[in-house]
Amino acid sequence: MGVCGSRPKVVEDLKLKKNKHRRRRRRILRRRVSSQKIEADAAHSHSVLQTSNRASDVAWFDSTSALDSECDDEFYSVYDGEVSASHGDEIGEDRRLTPDHCGMLQNTCLPCLSSNAVAVNEKKRPTSPDAQSSRRKSLSKLSFKLREGSSDMALFSPRSLRQKLLAGSTIPSCPIEKQTPGSWSPLEPSTFRVRGKNYLRDKKKEFAPNSAAFYPLGADLFLSPRKIDHIARFIQIPQINIPGDVPSILIVNLQIPLYPASIFQSENDGEGMNVVLYFKLSEKYSKDLPDHFRENISKLINDEVERVKGFPLDTIAPFRERLKILGRVVNVDNLSLGAAEKKLMNAYNEKPVLSRPQHEFYLGENYLEIDLDVHRFSYIARKGFEGFIDRLKLCNLDFGLTIQGNKVEDLPEHLLCAIRLNKIDHSNFNQIGF
């Protein structure tokens, strides 16, 4: 009896122990599986977050190479070639830019980021894990590519979403008789003296023919912490398209430094101003200008080369090295100059200067931009200009461009463009960044 009564108890104890062992094992397995799943989900989320962060960091990084790009910042989705205008929606409303105006200057229309709009969008940001996950997945599926000629950093530059400045919105125009301070005026090309028809024989200069290739359309002045190349990318240029091989608009970008001149030539960038001049192709371009001058303009645009006679051997030089700057201070007597300053002014006023090698050319759809980089001028020229820059607000400046005539068939010289700037005071403009 005792033996028979004890056997069922032992069997039950063994069954209980086995069941407890199985349940414990199942719990351990569940923990392992759940921990592995959590780790996998965490790793997946971390990778998605890294992808999102990398895309976000690139989107908000304005590379210097973007400024060097000649192409507009356009990017396309790889799906069906659709323009990715909904990129901001798929990334999240908190990343969307809202164009607004700073209100810092009455003449400056550069939009900036609205902090209020960003704060409101931050409040509307979905906090649901499912919403965040779907947004990250949609972001990971997106990929973009650039047009040829642009860098990857330029793709996500915030300036591509900014509203462009309207050309000629910062400096008004006025008739040349009034000479209103802070304005520009049209100027007759015949007021400049250039190489005449017999210059190679008698070395005499004559007044230029009263016809130019381009006539003034507007002017702007922008202050910036660094010099800005190819500034036409940031400006809304008038839609003027005149049939022919010559661009309808000529843009001259004068890059003028506002920091002290350094004897080290490597230091050629910093705070400065960009005086941007806009010119329109003459309606009588083919009628009033001689064939040789129109041919030289085509060589300038197409960046052709020419053979230059020299000793002991001839050399090949770009035709653009013939571009020549004409500058003149009209009201020298009103500047209260000292004896030494007046002597220098009389010696160098209206003396032409070849723009090479401190120039760059950019050819757009309907414009040609010429950047004249004063930052790269010689130390002596920079030092002299530095002492004169505070008097610019008192000066009436005439500016012109021509193509130097080195051969008989290139004479007389004609003007590409001409304009007068009336007492422009750069201190009236606030610094902006592109």
Side-chain angles (χ1 to χ4, degrees):
M1 291 293 292
V3 175
C4 294
S6 63
R7 288 180 67 183
K9 186 175 181 181
V10 173
V11 173
E12 290 177 0
D13 292 340
L14 290 173
K15 288 182 178 180
L16 288 173
K17 289 180 180 179
K18 288 180 179 180
N19 290 337
K20 289 180 181 179
H21 180 69
R22 288 174 182 172
R23 285 195 296 271
R24 189 182 297 116
R25 188 173 181 182
R26 288 174 184 171
R27 283 198 296 271
I28 293 172
L29 290 174
R30 284 198 197 98
R31 289 174 185 171
R32 290 179 179 175
V33 171
S34 61
S35 63
Q36 291 175 358
K37 185 177 180 182
I38 290 172
E39 291 175 359
D41 292 341
H44 177 68
S45 300
H46 180 66
S47 64
V48 173
L49 284 174
Q50 282 185 336
T51 303
S52 176
N53 289 336
R54 281 196 298 268
S56 176
D57 290 341
V58 174
W60 293 95
F61 180 76
D62 192 6
S63 67
T64 55
S65 63
L67 293 180
D68 297 330
S69 171
E70 295 183 12
C71 304
D72 295 332
D73 291 330
E74 295 181 5
F75 48 92
Y76 303 92
S77 170
V78 296
Y79 297 103
D80 301 330
E82 297 176 354
V83 178
S84 57
S86 60
H87 176 56
D89 297 333
E90 292 179 331
I91 292 178
E93 293 185 359
D94 56 322
R95 288 298 189 190
R96 187 180 300 164
L97 297 179
T98 303
D100 197 3
H101 294 279
C102 300
M104 298 169 61
L105 255 181
Q106 60 179 0
N107 290 331
T108 303
C109 304
L110 183 68
C112 62
L113 299 185
S114 175
S115 57
N116 295 330
V118 174
V120 171
N121 287 331
E122 286 289 347
K123 293 179 182 179
K124 294 181 180 180
R125 183 177 180 175
T127 56
S128 170
D130 295 336
Q132 292 180 2
S133 176
S134 62
R135 189 173 68 252
R136 290 167 185 163
K137 287 180 181 179
S138 64
L139 175 61
S140 63
K141 291 180 181 179
L142 289 176
S143 61
F144 299 92
K145 64 180 180 179
L146 276 175
R147 248 191 328 182
E148 291 184 8
S150 299
S151 64
D152 293 338
M153 287 301 184
L155 168 62
F156 296 101
S157 172
R159 77 166 182 280
S160 63
L161 299 176
R162 292 179 178 179
Q163 187 178 2
K164 289 187 175 182
L165 291 166
L166 183 63
S169 60
T170 61
I171 301 179
S173 63
C174 79
I176 196 168
E177 298 82 11
K178 291 186 177 181
Q179 298 183 0
T180 305
S183 65
W184 67 268
S185 301
L187 183 65
E188 293 294 334
S190 58
T191 59
F192 285 100
R193 299 181 68 91
V194 297
R195 293 184 175 185
K197 189 171 183 62
N198 301 320
Y199 178 81
L200 297 181
R201 224 177 27 235
D202 55 21
K203 302 298 179 182
K204 290 183 179 180
K205 292 190 176 182
E206 303 172 356
F207 287 106
N210 199 22
S211 57
F214 296 86
Y215 286 89
L217 193 64
D220 281 315
L221 191 149
F222 305 119
L223 299 181
S224 61
R226 313 289 289 182
K227 64 183 179 183
I228 304 172
D229 300 325
H230 194 186
I231 201 168
R233 296 170 298 154
F234 309 100
I235 297 172
Q236 184 179 344
I237 303 171
Q239 295 298 321
I240 300 174
N241 290 291
I242 300 175
D245 299 332
V246 180
S248 303
I249 295 177
L250 172 66
I251 301 174
V252 180
N253 179 21
L254 297 171
Q255 302 168 319
I256 302 174
L258 295 177
Y259 55 92
S262 173
I263 198 169
F264 301 103
Q265 292 297 320
S266 58
E267 299 180 10
N268 55 12
D269 195 1
E271 184 180 2
M273 60 179 171
N274 289 66
V275 180
V276 189
L277 311 174
Y278 312 94
F279 301 90
K280 176 187 174 183
L281 184 66
S282 172
E283 296 179 356
K284 300 179 180 180
Y285 175 78
S286 300
K287 182 179 179 181
D288 292 349
L289 297 177
D291 294 339
H292 74 268
F293 186 60
R294 286 187 280 114
E295 183 180 351
N296 288 344
I297 292 177
S298 298
K299 292 179 180 179
L300 189 80
I301 295 171
N302 298 326
D303 195 14
E304 296 186 15
V305 296
E306 62 178 346
R307 183 178 296 276
V308 179
K309 292 184 178 181
F311 180 82
L313 298 174
D314 295 349
T315 59
I316 301 297
F319 190 84
R320 288 176 173 177
E321 292 191 353
R322 283 214 217 171
L323 184 67
K324 192 161 58 177
I325 304 171
L326 304 175
R328 174 180 59 205
V329 178
V330 182
N331 56 339
V332 177
D333 296 334
N334 299 333
L335 299 183
S336 301
L337 300 176
E341 292 175 329
K342 188 175 293 186
K343 186 176 181 180
L344 288 172
M345 180 64 70
N346 292 331
Y348 292 99
N349 194 25
E350 201 176 351
K351 188 171 184 178
V353 178
L354 289 173
S355 63
R356 61 176 176 87
Q358 295 87 8
H359 60 204
E360 296 291 341
F361 293 75
Y362 303 94
L363 187 62
E365 183 177 353
N366 68 328
Y367 68 86
L368 171 67
E369 177 178 333
I370 304 175
D371 288 2
L372 302 177
D373 191 356
V374 183
H375 294 255
R376 294 163 53 196
F377 277 21
S378 67
Y379 173 74
I380 296 176
R382 283 279 315 278
K383 201 65 180 175
F385 191 81
E386 180 183 336
F388 182 72
I389 197 167
D390 290 335
R391 289 193 173 100
L392 288 178
K393 60 185 177 182
L394 305 174
C395 296
N396 291 328
L397 294 173
D398 289 350
F399 173 85
L401 289 177
T402 185
I403 300 174
Q404 181 165 283
N406 294 333
K407 303 175 184 178
V408 176
E409 56 267 25
D410 296 331
L411 299 174
E413 294 177 341
H414 285 66
L415 260 67
L416 276 173
C417 57
I419 192 173
R420 174 171 291 182
L421 299 175
N422 302 305
K423 301 177 182 178
I424 304 296
D425 187 1
H426 69 273
S427 62
N428 292 333
F429 298 82
N430 287 354
Q431 191 176 87
I432 56 178
F434 290 96

